[in-house]
């Protein structure tokens, strides 16, 4: 991959980061598995959660947490460039940080953009220290791609909001203390206008969780039920009725972090697959070579799109539809690399000795990658965005856009 930023003024930061990472990775065993893929953390996996929290705490103590977040909220007050350099250096290792992807990648940036000063002071530093883990509660059984059609309702009662309804696919809620939740607070206006975002303490009475069992055997996401959950009025995030605008900030960060800025560490890298092909004596096989070259090209494109997005963010631009392009290309590479890795690994990918610590990784990755086509915007929805905003095709008809939500059929 040719995705390394080089700028002599930043060399010192890179050297400090590389040095710190090398020392800590060896001390704490944050070394990559031979197949290059990452472990995921399911319900009940308390040890893995603690390991993630320890890693985040060490990053904070080492001065590498919230690198581009303001110092008054626990960050390092440096630029995005330094954050990217740190990401590049940390790719060489396997930092156990998966439980913080949503908090630090989506909830934190939303609080930074839309939160009150009090909210920023209360929540951002504990997030950076790894003390509090966050999730994002938007999707509902009847509202995923069309999240503005959600029906969870919050009603003001004195100085508290009372929340009722259900969310689904809430990643990581079982090990989180907090979440950002989107609810309908006014159904007399069209669907995008009557939403409000709240900061929710998941330990509040009336919140109950049920993990969902997945095809790969894991339980990484949940159904979450709200039964008269009382949320203090000062936990509104971004203003009453502004939920759609606030959620757009979160979703843009989600697409960018899922597609571009986040390293490709949940699937097999081309480099790891080349090593596997060499181990099996297959690097002379023309068909294998062609497939590896194709994967390398796609992986390179993912890296280049990431650089392009990063460059535009560094120029102060808001991430736009290029986040959708990057996520789509990343998903495509992930699916292809998982399929090829599984085939290349042969019988050992389908059945492995119990004592092989990463024997299940090819099967697990193959079963995991289809979810990437759905999480954070489905492939079809991203193609719609690209069609409309990049290619200038006509907009999809939205017949329910201007009708008060309560007058919509079926609501
Ligand atoms: C691994 C994973 C983690 C997730 N984590 C979270 C989380 O932490 N928090 C959260 O809130 N949600 C989360 N989600 C939910 C995710 O955001 C939704 O699944 C996604 O938005 C799709 O919604 P849906 O499942 O309701 O499908 P639907 O929106 O019902 O879509 C069904 C099918 O119709 C297609 N479709 C829908 N609308 C259109 C259209 N306009 N044009 C063309 N085709 C269309 C879709 O592409 C899809 O194929 C997660 C999902 C996954 C898979």
């Amino acid at each position: 991959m040719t995705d390394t930023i080089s700028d002599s003024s930043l060399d010192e930061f890179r050297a400090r980061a590389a040095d710190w990472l090398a020392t800590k990775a060896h001390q704490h065993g944050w070394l990559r598995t031979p197949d290059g893929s990452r472990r995921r953390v399911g319900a009940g996996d308390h040890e893995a959660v603690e390991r993630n929290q320890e890693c985040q705490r060490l990053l904070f103590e080492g001065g590498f947490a919230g690198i581009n977040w303001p110092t008054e909220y626990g960050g390092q007050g440096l630029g995005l460039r330094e954050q990217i350099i740190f990401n590049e250096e940390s790719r060489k290792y396997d930092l156990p940080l998966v439980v913080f992807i949503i908090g630090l990648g989506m909830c934190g940036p939303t609080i930074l953009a839309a939160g009150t000063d009090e909210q920023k002071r209360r929540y951002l530093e504990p997030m950076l220290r790894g003390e509090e883990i966050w999730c994002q509660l938007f999707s509902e059984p009847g509202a995923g791609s069309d999240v503005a059609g959600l029906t969870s309702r919050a009603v003001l009662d004195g100085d508290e909001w009372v929340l009722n309804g259900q969310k689904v696919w809430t990643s990581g809620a079982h090990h989180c203390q907090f979440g950002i939740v989107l609810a309908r607070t006014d159904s007399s206006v069209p669907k995008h206008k009557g939403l409000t975002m709240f900061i929710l303490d998941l330990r509040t009475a009336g919140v109950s969780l049920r993990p969902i069992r997945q095809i790969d055997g894991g339980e990484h996401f949940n159904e979450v039920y709200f039964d008269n959950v009382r949320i203090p009025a000062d936990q509104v995030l971004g203003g009453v009725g502004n939920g759609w605008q606030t959620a757009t900030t979160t979703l843009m960060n989600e697409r960018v972090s899922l597609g571009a800025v986040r390293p490709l560490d949940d699937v097999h890298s081309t480099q790891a697959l080349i090593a596997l092909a060499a181990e099996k004596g297959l690097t002379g096989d023309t068909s294998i070579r062609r497939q590896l070259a194709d994967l390398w090209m796609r992986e390179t494109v993912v890296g280049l799109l990431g650089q392009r997005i990063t460059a535009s963010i560094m120029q102060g631009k808001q991430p736009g539809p290029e986040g959708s392009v990057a996520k789509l290309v990343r998903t495509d590479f992930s699916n292809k690399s998982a399929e090829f890795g599984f085939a290349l690994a042969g019988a050992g990918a389908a059945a492995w000795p119990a004592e092989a610590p990463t024997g299940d990784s090819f099967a697990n990755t193959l079963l995991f990658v289809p979810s990437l086509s759905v999480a954070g915007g489905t492939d079809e929805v991203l193609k719609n965005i690209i069609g409309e905003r990049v290619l200038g095709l006509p907009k999809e008809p939205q017949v329910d856009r201007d009708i008060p939500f309560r007058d919509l059929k079926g609501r």
Side-chain angles (χ1 to χ4, degrees), residues 102 136 138-139 144-145 169 171 221 371 374-375 378 380 384 396:
I102 291 180
Q136 171 214 353
F138 290 5
S139 304
S145 301
W169 313 127
S171 300
F221 40 38
S371 70
V374 179
T378 68
E380 291 77 13
N384 282 348
E396 262 199 294

Side-chain angles (χ1 to χ4, degrees), residues 102 106 135-147 167-173 180 214 220-221 251 254-255 368 370-382 384 396:
I102 291 180
M106 300 165 211
C135 61
Q136 171 214 353
L137 304 114
F138 290 5
S139 304
E140 298 186 358
S145 301
D146 179 25
V147 77
K167 297 289 173 182
V168 74
W169 313 127
T170 315
S171 300
I180 51 174
Q214 297 144 214
H220 306 128
F221 40 38
L251 294 173
E254 177 177 48
R255 236 150 256 170
F368 159 74
S371 70
L372 298 175
S373 294
V374 179
T378 68
D379 289 355
E380 291 77 13
V381 167
L382 299 183
N384 282 348
E396 262 199 294

Side-chain angles (χ1 to χ4, degrees), residues 36-337:
S37 68
R38 194 188 56 199
R39 308 272 97 191
R40 290 172 275 276
V41 182
D45 200 346
H46 303 297
E47 214 178 292
V49 174
E50 279 168 21
R51 210 167 117 73
N52 277 240
Q53 287 188 284
E54 182 197 38
C55 181
Q56 184 61 36
R57 178 177 57 77
L58 290 167
L59 284 176
F60 184 87
E61 289 167 5
F64 294 109
I67 289 172
N68 59 333
W69 289 17
T71 47
E72 63 263 46
Y73 307 127
Q76 299 302 316
L78 299 172
L80 190 62
R81 222 161 238 270
E82 282 86 350
Q83 180 65 63
I84 291 161
I85 286 175
F86 188 78
N87 294 351
E88 285 171 1
E89 291 302 319
S90 61
R91 269 194 76 177
K92 297 170 188 163
Y93 305 97
D94 184 17
L95 269 59
L97 291 171
V98 65
V99 306
F100 294 103
I101 289 175
I102 291 180
L104 296 174
M106 300 165 211
C107 305
T110 307
I111 294 175
L112 270 171
T116 61
D117 192 50
E118 226 164 61
Q119 289 170 343
K120 291 177 192 169
R121 289 192 191 284
R122 161 63 187 87
Y123 295 116
L124 295 176
E125 187 168 322
M127 198 186 281
L128 289 176
R129 286 181 178 276
E131 291 164 0
E132 292 172 346
I133 311 175
W134 287 64
C135 61
Q136 171 214 353
L137 304 114
F138 290 5
S139 304
E140 298 186 358
S145 301
D146 179 25
V147 77
L150 59 82
T151 56
S152 285
R153 251 173 10 116
V155 177
L156 191 60
D157 178 24
D159 57 2
E160 288 177 329
W161 290 85
V162 182
L163 174 66
N164 281 286
Q166 185 202 337
K167 297 289 173 182
V168 74
W169 313 127
T170 315
S171 300
H174 46 281
H175 48 238
C176 289
Q177 288 75 41
F178 289 96
I180 51 174
V181 59
L182 201 56
R184 189 160 305 282
T185 46
D186 184 357
S187 57
S188 70
V189 291
K191 63 180 183 179
H192 292 91
K193 297 194 174 143
L195 302 172
T196 300
M197 193 181 287
F198 297 92
I199 293 173
L200 173 67
D201 186 331
L202 292 170
R203 297 155 294 190
T204 311
V207 178
S208 49
L209 307 180
R210 194 189 300 160
I212 300 173
R213 174 60 60 99
Q214 297 144 214
I215 192 173
D216 63 2
E219 291 178 341
H220 306 128
F221 40 38
N222 304 263
E223 294 175 316
V224 182
Y225 295 89
F226 310 122
D227 182 11
N228 288 321
V229 175
R230 302 191 77 87
I231 306 178
D234 62 3
Q235 298 305 296
V236 166
L237 178 57
V240 175
N242 286 336
W244 184 250
Q245 288 83 334
T246 316
T248 305
T249 311
T250 315
L251 294 173
M252 245 159 15
N253 277 301
E254 177 177 48
R255 236 150 256 170
V256 167
S257 72
L258 288 182
V261 179
R262 190 174 132 207
L264 268 166
D265 59 1
D266 46 9
V267 290
H268 319 294
S269 66
T270 311
Q271 212 55 55
L273 295 174
I274 291 172
L276 181 63
E279 194 187 304
K280 292 187 167 280
L282 290 171
T283 41
D285 183 305
T286 318
S287 159
I288 299 283
R289 291 173 74 86
R290 197 180 314 120
Q291 291 180 77
L292 284 169
D294 180 71
L295 283 173
W296 182 86
M297 191 183 69
R298 289 171 195 277
E299 191 177 355
T300 304
V301 170
V302 175
L304 292 173
L305 280 168
Q307 277 189 38
R308 186 177 164 164
I309 291 175
T310 304
S312 79
I313 297 173
M314 285 194 304
Q315 286 163 8
K317 295 184 191 149
Q318 280 290 327
E322 59 269 39
S324 302
V325 178
K327 196 208 157 220
L328 207 54
V329 174
R330 185 186 201 282
T331 299
D332 175 62
F333 168 75
S334 302
N335 277 296
K336 290 195 164 68
S337 118

